[in-house]
Amino acid sequence: VKMPTVLGLEGSANKIGIGVIRDGEVLSNPRHTYVTPPGEGFLPRETAKHHKEWVLKVLREALVEADVLPKDLDCIAYTKGPGMGAPLVSVAVVARTIAQLWDKPIIPVNHCIAHIEMGRLITKATNPTVLYVSGGNTQVIAYADRRYRIFGETIDIAVGNCLDRFARVLQISNDPSPGYNIEKMAKKGKKYIPLPYTVKGMDISFSGLLSFIEMAANTKIASGECTAEDLCFSLQETVFAMLVEITERAMAHCNSSEVLIVGGVGCNLRLQEMMLVMASERGAKLYATDERFCIDNGAMIAQAGSLMFSSGLKSARKEELFEDSWCTQRFRTDEVEVTWRN
Ligand SMILES: *[C@@H]1O[C@H](CO)[C@@H](O)[C@H](O)[C@H]1NC(C)=O
């Protein structure tokens, strides 16, 4: 079977990324990140403005680097959701426009599923239990009966959001990402400050922990009881232990021999190290990717779009697909029927 050539567009958070995939090969995957000043997060309106400014440059780069012309593409895939409304729309508009202009089928992709499929493609994991951790999402997922089922998830904020907001309290740089700079500081931490450990059955909570460590930053650093580095270290150790615990329980339930970490927080080497200890003790294998693929990118949308196209949407009418090319801030992982796996 000839695999299609697919262009994928992603912009559900603060990165605009466009990639081209053919036969599971990444032909191009450029990306541009909206970086805010220290102490500031990214807001929907400004993030959408960033994407609008960059989307055509990134699109041209994706096509040139892949050495493909619009006529070589079989379909256009874009992020339908979940994500921030205005950034999602700013990219969906471009996807709809080029699909019309170039007369291509348009494929709406679930962002979380794109992370899972990109992780499976790059690492060759076949049926892993998945930990998906990013600035907007925290879920433990496993495949069963044509769905990616959510075994556990955050009941308030995402783990990446917890790290990002703590970075803001410390006024750490957001370049290249707040999480990367927390990871760097955590390596210099020596003293573990006990923090609330909030695992609730298979679910997990971070907002109380964030309030607690924000207060600790305001009191314990000034009093000399600990350093900012100690707090970064303690925060990582605590939240990653919580994530590894619920992942292990899902693996035990599913009798998994593979665990895959995806999402922006997934490039954190300390998280990978802690997960590896757990996986090794269970006789399971750990799979993870580097920042090119675990951070939001266009190729992952192209890969999920490619699987959806080949396993059914190929026979859909272009007009019908176009009618269905909307986006939504809320779109759960288990809403999608996984037509490409048995
Ligand atoms: C669990 O998986 C292993 C192989 O990974 C297999 O040998 C074993 O029989 C499985 N156990 C159950 C209860 O399915």
Side-chain angles (χ1 to χ4, degrees), residues 46-219:
E46 287 72 29
T47 309
K49 190 162 167 275
H50 166 268
H51 291 0
K52 286 177 203 164
E53 276 169 23
W54 281 89
V55 64
L56 295 183
K57 283 174 220 157
V58 178
L59 176 59
R60 174 162 298 127
E61 200 182 331
L63 291 170
V64 168
E65 195 189 320
D67 196 21
V68 297
L69 295 169
K71 71 170 173 55
D72 304 321
L73 298 171
D74 291 283
C75 61
I76 308 289
Y78 74 100
T79 308
K80 175 177 169 181
M84 289 171 115
L88 278 173
V89 170
S90 72
V91 177
V93 159
V94 175
R96 285 164 63 90
T97 305
I98 58 178
Q100 290 277 72
L101 198 62
W102 300 338
D103 194 27
K104 306 289 175 187
I106 183 163
I107 311 291
V109 170
N110 177 294
H111 180 88
C112 316
I113 289 189
H115 272 294
I116 299 170
E117 292 307 340
M118 197 63 187
R120 291 209 310 135
L121 172 73
I122 298 295
T123 65
K124 310 272 184 269
T126 52
N127 185 26
T129 293
V130 180
L131 176 66
Y132 170 30
V133 274
S134 67
N137 295 281
T138 302
Q139 296 180 336
V140 176
I141 303 157
Y143 175 82
D145 195 17
R146 303 228 128 191
R147 302 269 162 178
Y148 281 114
R149 316 258 167 198
I150 302 166
F151 280 72
E153 62 190 316
T154 178
I155 56 172
D156 41 57
I157 59 171
V159 62
N161 190 245
C162 180
L163 297 171
D164 292 355
R165 283 159 70 171
F166 187 57
R168 270 179 246 163
V169 171
L170 296 180
Q171 298 277 320
I172 298 174
S173 164
N174 290 319
D175 185 14
S177 73
Y180 178 83
N181 292 317
I182 292 226
E183 182 178 1
K184 234 168 64 180
M185 282 175 75
K187 284 186 193 141
K188 298 189 198 117
K190 291 187 176 68
K191 185 170 170 188
Y192 180 78
I193 304 297
L195 298 171
Y197 185 94
T198 40
V199 170
K200 322 245 174 191
M202 283 301 287
D203 291 330
I204 203 163
S205 155
F206 299 106
S207 64
L209 164 55
L210 177 63
S211 303
F212 184 96
I213 196 169
E214 280 174 353
M215 274 195 303
N218 290 329
T219 56

Side-chain angles (χ1 to χ4, degrees), residues 6-25:
V6 184
L7 180 89
L9 300 95
E10 155 62 29
S12 61
N14 68 332
K15 291 107 193 157
I16 168 84
I18 304 183
V20 179
I21 285 247
R22 178 191 288 150
D23 280 323
E25 190 191 338

Side-chain angles (χ1 to χ4, degrees), residues 222-255:
S223 72
E225 196 183 317
C226 68
T227 63
E229 285 78 6
D230 293 334
L231 287 177
C232 290
F233 164 72
S234 307
L235 180 58
Q236 281 200 168
E237 294 303 302
T238 307
V239 298
F240 294 165
M242 289 158 58
L243 294 168
V244 170
E245 180 187 330
I246 60 167
T247 306
E248 175 166 31
R249 211 172 296 132
M251 290 178 75
H253 182 85
C254 301
N255 193 30

